[in-house]
Amino acid sequence: MSIRVMQNYINGDWVDSTTDVFGTVSNPALGEQIASVPYGNAQDVNMAVQAAVDAFPEWRETPPLARARYLFRLKDAFEEEFEEIARVLTIEQGKAIDESRGEVRRMIENIEHATGVTTMMTGYCLEDIAQGVDSSLYRQPMGVFACIAPYNFPAMVPWWFLPYALVTGNTFVLKPSEQVPMTQNRIFEVIDDVGFPEGVVNMVNGSRDVVNAILEHEDIEGVSFVGSTPTAKYIYERCGATGKRVQSLGGAKNIVAVMPDADVQAGMPSLITSFFGCAGQRCLSGSILSPVGEGADAFVDKFVAATKAMKVGDGLDESVAMGPVVSKAHQERVVAYIEKGVAEGADLILDGRNFSVAGYPDGFFVGPTIFDNVTPDMTIAREEIFGPVVSIIRSETLDDVIQLVNTRNFANAACIYTQNAKAVREMRYKAAPGMIGVNIGIAAPMSFFPFGGSGNSMFGDIKGHGREIFQFFTDTKVVIERYF
């Protein structure tokens, strides 16, 4: 198999990085290298930012509707390449092919939402704020923005930001995750075919050096990030120090409550998806399962049985429900958490260690794992594992669940399964997380609602997509005028 070497996309051209340091991109189902990615440097970033700076004046003067037409063309082009992008995503990231298709669909939905710029970017005005004096507000693009993307959703997450930056008149630099650069590489091939003006949208591959170069670059006005909480804090602090706008979305420890009146049969498929979809590698995955009141034993038995029935394997297999984790290093990290749970005294009732898939001896697989009788102080109940590991904490009342939710060191999402409207209101009203699911295991907003948690799950003021995203990528200018 030939090993493909990733390139940067700068000023409308595919160019080699100036670095001589490269990383490995692997197929996680096979455990073998499929590409090489440059770990770029400040010189690469400077080239991309300069291209974006040079492109900004003309792109800003392009009418919003004309900018939106580029996105209309891009949406059509992505529809034509839909299956190919999804397959590349699965090959390098590992998730099941239907999960990849869903991710690409969400990516495209953000483009569709961004085309509403002629409504969403409008300002407002008022006559006679004083006698003979009128005032108006305009929203204006600011310049160059950047995105530092995670490995778990390599197609979708950058497009929570990129189309909105472009359609509001800014230019853009994207840094894909060095673990999964091939998906955005394929996407940028489509961008290149659509023919955006040179320098409007750029991509630089790399790792820590590229991140720091983005954070320090004086010509970058704002940064969007999704990833772990420690990195999110670091990016938030550095952007504050350098005067940049920032959206920095961090980690999670999401709790799913199952009330005694829940329709378990109807809800079980979404519960399984919540905890094991994408091999648990998403910030909206269920992590703690909290059955409430009587009937917990019967519910746990049903949950374990449904988990065991799930097929694990190569994500390209249409019958597979859960693929491998992204890398050998992450596989070892998840297994270490399982061993930590055992050491701390939790009951391991389904063990995903030493999990093997026939025909894939070198794949980075972790089997579905379930701990029962977990206590809130245990490491597996406090830290983000980011893998297919469920911690069951039984609760006597909904108030106990809400206290559990609000004492985790994260506040991304929480879900409740119930038919009781009062219980739903209690959860919605009292729980800290920024996203709440009701009889839904993944509280993922559509593109026209904002995405983002609270507390240590979100740093910055404006969340991903939704209406608010148009505010992040524009500054307001107020004009007060009087004529004699």
Side-chain angles (χ1 to χ4, degrees):
M1 175 186 294
S2 61
I3 304 300
R4 185 174 181 183
V5 179
M6 298 291 100
Q7 291 181 296
N8 296 331
Y9 185 81
I10 298 175
N11 205 35
D13 289 323
W14 292 101
V15 298
D16 291 333
S17 172
T18 59
T19 187
D20 56 2
V21 180
F22 287 79
T24 296
V25 182
S26 297
N27 179 323
L30 300 175
E32 62 183 33
Q33 183 176 359
I34 53 176
S36 180
V37 59
Y39 283 5
N41 51 40
Q43 185 176 345
D44 293 338
V45 173
N46 289 339
M47 292 168 58
V49 174
Q50 189 58 54
V53 167
D54 292 344
F56 174 66
E58 184 175 351
W59 184 244
R60 177 197 171 168
E61 293 172 4
T62 303
L65 191 56
R67 296 195 295 258
R69 291 189 186 115
Y70 281 95
L71 296 187
F72 282 120
R73 295 202 295 272
L74 190 59
K75 179 239 189 294
D76 290 342
F78 282 154
E79 295 287 2
E80 292 181 7
E81 299 298 326
F82 186 97
E83 188 67 16
E84 171 65 15
I85 295 171
R87 289 183 66 83
V88 172
L89 199 166
T90 288
I91 288 168
E92 73 166 348
Q93 204 278 338
K95 65 181 62 177
I97 186 64
D98 265 354
E99 293 174 332
S100 292
R101 291 173 183 138
E103 178 177 344
V104 176
R105 178 54 58 202
R106 285 296 183 100
M107 178 189 84
I108 292 173
E109 286 170 357
N110 276 280
I111 298 172
E112 293 169 331
H113 179 42
T115 59
V117 62
T118 51
T119 297
M120 302 303 294
M121 195 178 167
T122 52
Y124 52 86
C125 60
L126 182 66
E127 292 182 327
D128 293 320
I129 61 169
Q131 187 173 7
V133 180
D134 304 329
S135 188
S136 53
L137 177 145
Y138 297 87
R139 290 200 168 276
Q140 297 181 327
M142 299 171 61
V144 182
F145 282 80
C147 173
I148 300 166
Y151 74 78
N152 59 333
F153 285 89
M156 178 184 70
V157 167
W159 293 78
W160 289 353
F161 314 109
L162 191 157
Y164 305 103
L166 297 189
V167 81
T168 52
N170 302 285
T171 52
F172 207 78
V173 177
L174 169 63
K175 191 208 88 68
S177 166
E178 64 274 19
Q179 296 189 72
V180 286
M182 296 175 66
T183 301
Q184 282 300 327
N185 187 92
R186 185 68 191 93
I187 287 169
F188 267 70
E189 289 175 349
V190 178
I191 291 174
D192 188 57
D193 289 341
V194 167
F196 279 79
E198 293 177 357
V200 166
V201 57
N202 308 273
M203 179 176 65
V204 178
N205 289 290
S207 185
R208 182 173 300 179
D209 288 346
V210 169
V211 170
N212 286 325
I214 287 172
L215 299 179
E216 299 297 329
H217 204 293
E218 63 181 11
D219 288 327
I220 292 179
E221 300 291 339
V223 174
S224 302
F225 168 79
V226 178
S228 70
T229 286
T231 305
K233 284 183 176 179
Y234 172 76
I235 287 174
Y236 178 68
E237 291 167 356
R238 292 309 306 148
C239 286
T242 56
K244 292 175 171 45
R245 290 192 173 186
V246 60
Q247 302 167 291
S248 201
L249 283 66
K253 196 67 181 175
N254 304 319
I255 296 173
V256 179
V258 180
M259 300 299 290
D261 69 325
D263 187 335
V264 173
Q265 182 176 352
M268 190 60 72
S270 63
L271 279 167
I272 294 298
T273 298
S274 175
F275 287 93
F276 301 115
C278 302
Q281 298 170 115
R282 56 184 171 193
C283 65
L284 288 182
S285 285
S287 182
I288 296 174
L289 179 59
S290 188
V292 178
E294 298 180 358
D297 287 341
F299 166 75
V300 169
D301 288 344
K302 292 177 182 178
F303 182 77
V304 172
T307 301
K308 289 180 176 179
M310 182 176 56
K311 184 176 179 180
V312 180
D314 185 351
L316 290 177
D317 181 343
E318 296 281 354
S319 65
V320 161
M322 189 181 95
V325 296
V326 71
S327 67
K328 183 68 174 176
H330 193 58
Q331 179 191 43
E332 293 171 351
R333 178 180 184 273
V334 175
V335 169
Y337 270 109
I338 298 172
E339 292 173 349
K340 185 69 171 177
V342 172
E344 292 186 343
D347 294 336
L348 184 58
I349 59 177
L350 189 61
D351 189 351
R353 296 173 295 178
N354 303 313
F355 189 88
S356 62
V357 175
Y360 297 88
D362 299 318
F364 309 138
F365 293 98
V366 178
T369 299
I370 302 175
F371 283 101
D372 199 359
N373 297 314
V374 176
T375 59
D377 60 314
M378 290 181 178
T379 301
I380 58 173
R382 292 184 291 105
E383 297 184 7
E384 184 178 40
I385 299 173
F386 222 59
V389 180
V390 182
S391 297
I392 297 176
I393 300 180
R394 298 162 187 248
S395 298
E396 293 295 325
T397 67
L398 179 58
D399 283 341
D400 294 335
V401 176
I402 293 172
Q403 182 181 11
L404 185 66
V405 170
N406 291 346
T407 54
R408 301 307 90 190
N409 197 29
F410 304 94
N412 206 45
C415 298
I416 182 170
Y417 282 75
T418 184
Q419 301 303 312
N420 187 313
K422 183 176 185 298
V424 171
R425 187 180 189 278
E426 287 290 296
M427 177 70 91
R428 172 179 60 80
Y429 192 80
K430 295 181 178 178
M435 295 171 282
I436 302 292
V438 179
N439 297 314
I440 291 171
I442 297 291
M446 298 289 283
S447 61
F448 30 86
F449 283 87
F451 187 108
S454 303
N456 282 332
S457 293
M458 172 75 200
F459 302 89
D461 300 319
I462 297 178
K463 300 178 181 181
H465 51 69
R467 298 177 185 176
E468 294 81 358
I469 196 72
F470 292 88
Q471 299 174 25
F472 183 76
F473 290 113
T474 57
D475 203 1
T476 57
K477 180 172 288 184
V478 176
V479 179
I480 304 98
E481 51 192 319
R482 178 173 63 185
Y483 301 97
F484 299 102

